[in-house]
Amino acid sequence: LVRPLPDLLRDLRSLLQGYRLVAHNAAHDRGVIEASFRALGLNPPHLDWLCTLEMAQKLHPGLDS
């Protein structure tokens, strides 16, 4: 079944509401998701993000990645 991308993004927004998203380099992932919504004229969802890259940098300063 092929569905239009705007429909999929609306479903994604509904599925993600109320959950925390965990991502490594969350700023990048957040930018991609928000740009995808905006490109289709949709408001991006307000999501709670947890960035494991930021956590790692705080716990282990000086490591490259």
Side-chain angles (χ1 to χ4, degrees), residues 2-55:
V2 176
R3 296 182 55 212
L5 185 56
D7 291 349
L8 294 173
L9 289 177
R10 286 185 193 98
D11 289 349
L12 180 64
R13 179 176 33 217
S14 295
L15 288 171
L16 296 178
Q17 291 298 329
Y19 289 94
R20 174 177 280 180
L21 275 70
V22 178
H24 194 72
N25 195 1
H28 169 77
D29 295 342
R30 183 179 192 165
V32 170
I33 289 174
E34 289 179 357
S36 297
F37 275 85
R38 287 190 181 106
L40 296 171
L42 301 171
N43 291 325
H46 298 284
L47 302 172
D48 182 22
W49 290 88
L50 178 63
C51 181
T52 59
L53 176 59
E54 289 177 10
M55 290 175 58

